[in-house]
Amino acid sequence: MDALTLLTQRHSAPRLSEPGPDSQQLDTILAAAVKAPDHMALTPWQFVIAQGEGLLKLGEIFYQAAKTKGESGEGLARARLLPTRAPMVITVIAKVQDHPKVPVIEQHLSAGCAALAMQMAAQAQGLGGIWRTGSYAFDPTVRESLGVQGDDQIVGFLYLGTPLSRAPNKRSPDPADYVSFL
Ligand SMILES: Cc1cc2nc3c(=O)[nH]c(=O)nc-3n(C[C@H](O)[C@H](O)[C@H](O)COP(=O)(O)O)c2cc1C
């Protein structure tokens, strides 16, 4: 797949199954992540990879978060299963440093770029993925369990695997609607 096709045809894959990325594919995905634009080369990111047992551990973290929030019944049971919707979930964390020239938002954006780069690297290798946040990205219990402190932010949970359905035939927004010229 050439670069422009990937950029203009990128899409999410919400329904994913095995196989997930193998170790070579994962290396490529991570190599793409660390090429994200990065003001002052702060490398303001951390990638927490969950597969196999790791998905159960992440599910346990979501479960504890849901319990702490007072959820019960189906909602609580569902929390534990969320990460098992894909063979691999990469939690993308913006690790923020106090820097005179690089405000927090730029470091968050950089980590976001890394998340997108990983999704595209997955798609370029015949895999699929979806970038999710949901309330757990902002949840104090989840943050604490993953060592996310202060201005650090979970910018996404990147679900990766083999798409279960073909790319949706969605209409793209018209770029002209969002463009002006000075
Ligand atoms: C920061 C961020 C958080 C997102 N969180 C969710 C989410 O929690 N659940 C979800 O279904 N989609 C979420 N999305 C949207 C999907 O990743 C995806 O972009 C959307 O379903 C549109 O599909 P497309 O990427 O194929 O255009 C999020 C996107 C971004 C950029």
Side-chain angles (χ1 to χ4, degrees):
M1 181 182 290
D2 71 66
L4 284 179
T5 305
L6 178 61
L7 283 167
T8 56
Q9 307 294 318
R10 183 210 63 82
H11 59 87
S12 300
R15 298 187 62 235
L16 297 160
S17 67
E18 297 284 353
D22 63 26
S23 65
Q24 216 175 345
Q25 289 170 323
L26 179 59
D27 284 349
T28 302
I29 287 167
L30 295 171
V34 298
K35 290 300 284 181
D38 173 11
H39 193 179
M40 301 298 289
L42 298 182
T43 58
W45 46 60
Q46 190 188 357
F47 311 114
V48 182
I49 299 169
Q51 55 189 333
E53 286 281 306
L55 295 171
L56 304 182
K57 287 184 193 164
L58 187 59
E60 189 57 32
I61 291 171
F62 287 177
Y63 176 82
Q64 291 303 333
K67 212 162 124 181
T68 305
K69 276 195 300 191
E71 280 194 40
S72 58
E74 256 181 46
L76 187 56
R78 188 172 171 269
R80 192 173 250 150
L81 297 176
L82 288 175
T84 63
R85 290 177 291 176
M88 180 181 285
V89 178
I90 302 181
T91 304
V92 183
I93 301 169
K95 294 297 277 187
V96 173
Q97 296 173 40
D98 195 14
H99 193 285
K101 288 193 175 151
V102 190
V104 172
I105 187 172
E106 292 191 4
Q107 300 182 50
H108 287 187
L109 287 168
S110 198
C113 288
L116 179 62
M118 288 195 282
Q119 189 194 39
M120 291 204 291
Q123 188 176 327
Q125 296 180 95
L127 297 160
I130 182 162
W131 179 348
R132 298 182 191 273
T133 47
S135 62
Y136 293 115
F138 309 95
D139 186 279
T141 304
V142 176
R143 284 174 60 91
E144 194 187 333
S145 304
L146 294 172
V148 182
Q149 296 171 337
D151 288 329
D152 295 353
Q153 178 58 48
I154 297 171
V155 298
F157 302 102
L158 185 63
Y159 286 65
L160 295 174
T162 300
L164 268 174
S165 44
R166 287 168 52 119
N169 199 6
K170 274 199 318 198
R171 215 174 131 257
S172 296
D174 182 349
D177 291 343
Y178 310 96
V179 171
S180 59
F181 293 88
L182 288 179

